[in-house]
Amino acid sequence: MRQRLAVDDPVEVVVVRVAAHAAPAGTAVLRLLGMLPAHWECAQRIGEDRITVLVRGGGEHEVRKRCAEALRGRTLEGWALEGRQAP
């Protein structure tokens, strides 16, 4: 039996609502995914105040960096990576 390479495993990124005025989760996830590279394969789980994105195609550092950059944009104001506060 072949072992899967770690590169094939998705990177999990959790984004949480940190402000009441933030866009609804369904809108926020569309905006976030739209800002990520088109060749990345993404899946998501959406809760009212929490979004989990699973990404294949980029290394963990790159995925987290790109998500953090997207979350600094005005359209995702009020959402932040889990464990970080919005500025």
Side-chain angles (χ1 to χ4, degrees):
M1 186 171 179
R2 286 179 69 179
Q3 182 178 2
R4 281 184 31 191
L5 297 174
V7 174
D8 291 338
D9 292 337
V11 176
E12 182 178 273
V13 177
V14 179
V15 179
V16 294
R17 183 189 310 267
V18 294
H21 69 274
T27 301
V29 75
L30 290 174
R31 291 174 177 170
L32 175 61
L33 294 178
M35 292 181 200
L36 299 179
H39 66 275
W40 286 0
E41 296 178 26
C42 301
Q44 70 278 336
R45 290 189 296 265
I46 305 169
E48 188 173 333
D49 295 323
R50 180 183 174 96
I51 300 166
T52 302
V53 179
L54 302 170
V55 181
R56 281 197 173 108
E60 183 168 354
H61 176 75
E62 183 181 4
V63 169
R64 293 188 187 288
K65 178 181 165 200
R66 296 294 283 272
C67 286
E69 289 171 357
L71 289 166
R72 285 194 291 272
R74 192 164 187 238
T75 62
L76 288 168
E77 190 174 296
W79 289 91
L81 292 174
E82 188 172 60
R84 296 186 182 178
Q85 295 297 316

